[in-house]
């Protein structure tokens, strides 16, 4: 078997551009792997090696990825640089690793905005936005010889579709391979690509799936439908829901069905091994997967999703309850897809699924190479199922039928019927619609390229895919942005064209990764300079600045606001404030926004000199800071705000904040307390789920990670005590958490934390009685949490610590003593603290 496809590149220059030679070489490689090309794959590859653009619209599982590999092979042979684009970073990194296996690490690079690996490689995997910005920066002269655009139906996305359109407009010298299972009518793109590139454009379609699908509309309750499918040998079954809560509830409800055999349960337990499940959702998931039922949605921790995928790939999960994220290519083998509804909430209203959405989900059924057929089952609405059951029970008796009181749909329910189902099955995906828009970064990128920027912008604005009224609006917006840039002195007009043909140019340097990374990072650096490094809150204030530039974790902020409003209502009720006034005052209660006034003022001033930041909104918030100030670990924070369904959202946010802190803040601005905090945050993320940070390392050093796997090096979080600096902060937070609870006299919470070591609520209350007889309060400000009030005696197996109370008299003779078990901490992935005393020394 040929190891690397690169080895089959023709050495002779003439042969390297001969379509027959290239096709034969690629066919030899696929045959050596036991792969037989489908007719649509053959047709697409023949067109690719012949130099044509290709629009590949074939069902899921029909091998579009193999056509993409053949396209990259062709570009390599021609000495052209090829780009693979996908809508989400996870797919980009997945493709990055798979192409390395095919072509070798030296031939493949990746650019996602978060990571840049081997960026000069001849094959680049990137998000659509990366390629769009390269196209804007360099136009037709960009070093892009070929574009393989996967999931091209994202062209219609309202917020992001511009990034799929811009390369088509600008990269006129490139060969395009546009791929999706749900493209609809593509005659417009066929003509448009040919006109722009001068290449013929081939449309390769196939309605024939390698694994044919059978569709059914079910009038039985979900548990009966699932039981029938299981007994009919139609597992693995993916049950699609349109909310995370519904997916979890369904999984728990299906625990009543006997899904797996005893032997399969033993195999599941063996594969799980010593996998670390956290409290809360983790414990629920552990119970579910051991029963043979998985859960899969975007709010889960990556390690949990990966575990579910591994168990499913091993054939050990018969049922997976999840959301429609499977439509974007999750790696789960599925024979049957069950849709729990044909409606979804799109952020504005409840509506029927579009044909594209339906086919994208349904197309995941049936595994090529495993199944001879796949199944798609749609559940009727609950009230329709109940009515059908009642009619069935009445049999042929007309009297009984007349007595049936038919259930009605709930108020506001968007109904679907069997005819809705049949229409979606028969319908072609809707035509793709243009989502072009103009931004500051678009103008800046175009102005930075050589040549006449006005002509380049005119081409973009008048020869895009929008209708004429929309183009006029874009032109007016572009003029307004240009005038703002001119007024701010960011661009200047030239009396004569310069040596590169520019009649307008930038007066500032535009770094290459402009608009490809955190666009507000320069503002964060400037705002940090406004802070006093000697302030006791400096480290946390830096965190607040950086948090304001990181994308909002919407579910977390919503729960923060929900909790803040509940607490405000309780306080207002106790003060006797009337209902109407309470509701009015409640409008001003939101999630915490530290430094909001300073940040918005800095943003306003910065925008005057850097108008392009108007494309991005500063968003003051407190998640990392809130967690640190509350001295909570990940599990405690999840429980405090009720975020069990959004663990993954919180973790990704913490990881992004950690990366932004590391990369944004200059080293000379990183004080010892700030460095401690950054180390703590990184270790917290690593111990909760190391896969995010491991992925960064794998992307930066792919060879090393492969070598570790081959050598059997355990993949998972390192011992938490290994990073002493971060571990000291974890210990400090555990101790200070007890101080905060003691200050609030929350003896119940203290007892919950320490009852296992003999310190229940009553013991805590008794121990603190003498303190509060002498002092009115325990301080919890910056001085109270500082290192001066924490004493640590480090021994090989145990640390002995004492957290001193910040009492009003300044006596500092009361405190909490504890032992930290290092071995237990490594096992738990957090500081395991055992209180030994609360007393006065």
């Amino acid at each position: 078997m040929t190891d690397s496809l690169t080895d089959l590149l023709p050495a002779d220059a003439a042969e390297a551009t001969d379509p027959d030679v290239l096709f034969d070489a690629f066919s030899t490689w696929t045959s050596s792997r036991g792969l037989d090309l489908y007719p649509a794959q053959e047709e697409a590859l023949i067109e690719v090696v012949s130099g044509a653009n290709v629009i590949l619209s074939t069902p899921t599982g029909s091998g579009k990825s193999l056509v993409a590999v053949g396209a990259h092979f062709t570009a390599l042979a021609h000495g052209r640089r090829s780009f693979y684009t996908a809508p989400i970073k996870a797919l980009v990194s997945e493709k990055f690793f798979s192409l390395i296996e095919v072509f070798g690490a030296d031939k493949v690079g990746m650019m996602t905005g978060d990571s840049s690996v081997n960026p000069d490689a001849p094959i680049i995997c990137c998000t659509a936005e990366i390629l769009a910005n390269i196209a804007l920066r360099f136009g037709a002269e960009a070093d892009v010889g070929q574009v393989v655009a996967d999931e091209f139906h994202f062209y219609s996305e309202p917020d992001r579709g511009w990034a799929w359109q811009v390369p088509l407009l600008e990269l006129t010298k490139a060969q395009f391979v546009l791929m999706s299972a749900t493209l609809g009518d593509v005659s417009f793109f066929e003509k448009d690509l040919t006109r722009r590139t001068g290449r013929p454009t081939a449309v390769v379609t196939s309605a024939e799936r390698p694994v044919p699908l059978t569709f059914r509309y079910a009038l039985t309750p979900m548990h009966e439908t699932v039981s029938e499918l299981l007994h009919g040998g139609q597992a693995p079954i993916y049950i699609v829901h349109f909310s995370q809560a519904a997916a979890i509830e369904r999984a728990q409800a299906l625990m009543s069905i006997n899904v797996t055999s005893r032997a399969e349960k033993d195999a599941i337990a063996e594969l799980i091994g010593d996998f670390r499940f956290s409290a809360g959702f983790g414990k629920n998931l552990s119970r579910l997967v051991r029963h043979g039922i998985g859960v899969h949605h975007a709010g889960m921790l990556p390690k949990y999703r990966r575990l579910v995928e591994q168990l499913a790939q091993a054939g050990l999960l018969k049922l997976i309850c999840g959301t429609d994220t499977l439509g974007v290519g999750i790696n789960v083998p599925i024979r049957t897809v069950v849709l729990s509804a044909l409606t979804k909430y799109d952020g504005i209203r409840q509506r029927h699924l579009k044909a594209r959405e339906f086919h994208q989900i349904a197309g995941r059924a049936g595994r090529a190479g495993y199944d001879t057929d796949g199944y798609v089952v749609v559940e009727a609405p609950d009230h329709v199922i109940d009515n059908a059951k009642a009619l069935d029970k009445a049999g042929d008796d007309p009297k009984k039928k007349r007595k049936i009181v038919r259930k009605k749909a709930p108020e506001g329910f968007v109904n679907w019927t069997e005819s809705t189902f049949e229409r979606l099955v028969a319908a072609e995906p809707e035509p793709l619609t243009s989502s072009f828009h103009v931004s500051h970064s678009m103008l800046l990128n175009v102005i930075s390229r050589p040549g006449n920027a006005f002509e380049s912008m005119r081409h973009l604005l008048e020869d895009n895919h929008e209708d004429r009224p929309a183009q006029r609006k874009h032109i007016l917006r572009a003029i307004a942005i240009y005038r703002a840039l001119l007024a701010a002195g960011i661009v200047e007009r030239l009396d004569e064209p310069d040596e590169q043909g520019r009649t307008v140019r930038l007066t500032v340097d535009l770094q290459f990764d402009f608009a490809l990374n955190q666009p507000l990072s320069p503002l964060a650096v400037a705002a940090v300079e406004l802070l006093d490094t000697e302030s006791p809150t400096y480290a946390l204030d830096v965190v607040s600045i950086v948090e304001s530039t990181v994308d909002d974790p919407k579910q977390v902020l919503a729960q923060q606001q929900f909790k803040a409003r509940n607490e405000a209502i309780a306080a207002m009720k106790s003060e006797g404030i009337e209902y109407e006034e309470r509701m009015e005052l409640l409008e001003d209660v939101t999630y915490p926004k530290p430094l909001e006034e300073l940040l918005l003022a800095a943003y306003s001033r910065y925008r005057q000199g850097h108008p392009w930041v108007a494309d991005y909104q500063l968003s003051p918030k407190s998640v990392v800071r809130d967690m640190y100030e509350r001295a909570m670990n990940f599990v405690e924070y999840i429980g405090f705000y009720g975020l069990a369904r959004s663990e993954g959202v919180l973790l990704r946010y913490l990881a992004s904040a950690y990366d932004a802190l590391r990369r944004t803040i200059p080293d000379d601005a990183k004080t010892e307390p700030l460095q401690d905090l950054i180390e703590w945050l990184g270790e917290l993320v690593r111990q909760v789920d190391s896969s995010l940070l491991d992925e960064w390392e794998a992307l930066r050093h792919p060879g090393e990670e492969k070598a570790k796997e081959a050598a059997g090096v355990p993949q998972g979080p390192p011992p938490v005590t290994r990073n002493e600096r971060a571990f000291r902060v974890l210990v400090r937070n555990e101790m200070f958490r007890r101080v905060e609870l003691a200050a609030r006299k929350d003896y119940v919470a203290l007892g919950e934390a320490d009852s296992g070591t003999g310190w229940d609520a009553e013991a805590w209350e008794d121990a603190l009685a003498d303190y509060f007889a002498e002092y009115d309060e325990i301080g919890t400000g910056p001085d109270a949490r500082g290192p001066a009030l924490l004493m640590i005696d480090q021994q090989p197996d145990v640390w002995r610590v004492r957290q001193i109370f910040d009492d009003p008299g300044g006596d500092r003779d009361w405190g909490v003593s504890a032992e930290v078990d290092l071995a237990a901490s490594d096992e738990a992935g957090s500081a395991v603290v055992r209180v030994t005393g609360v007393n006065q020394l």
Side-chain angles (χ1 to χ4, degrees), residues 41 75 92 179 198 282 356 378 416 508 533 554 559 562 600:
Q41 288 175 311
V92 172
M179 308 190 304
R356 172 169 291 104
V378 173
W416 69 91
V508 295
T533 56
K554 293 179 182 176
Q559 287 301 102
F562 177 74
L600 293 180

Side-chain angles (χ1 to χ4, degrees), residues 791-834:
M791 297 183 295
I792 300 179
D793 175 20
Q794 296 181 211
Q795 300 298 322
D797 299 319
V798 65
W799 287 8
R800 292 181 176 83
V801 300
R802 182 167 176 82
Q803 176 69 57
I804 300 168
F805 291 163
D806 182 18
D807 61 83
D811 299 321
R812 311 291 171 83
D813 53 356
W814 273 86
V816 183
S817 299
E819 291 182 345
V820 183
D821 186 324
L822 303 189
S825 297
D826 284 337
E827 185 176 341
S830 59
V832 175
V833 171
R834 299 192 183 108

Side-chain angles (χ1 to χ4, degrees), residues 277-293:
F277 290 96
S278 303
F281 176 74
K283 300 301 181 188
N284 289 337
L285 181 65
S286 175
R287 185 169 55 87
L288 289 165
V289 295
R290 292 176 197 278
H291 193 74
I293 300 173

Side-chain angles (χ1 to χ4, degrees), residues 226-247:
V226 169
S227 295
E228 182 184 335
L229 291 168
L230 286 170
H231 291 131
Q234 291 167 259
I237 303 164
Y238 194 106
I239 307 175
V240 181
H241 305 79
F242 295 96
S243 78
Q244 296 171 4

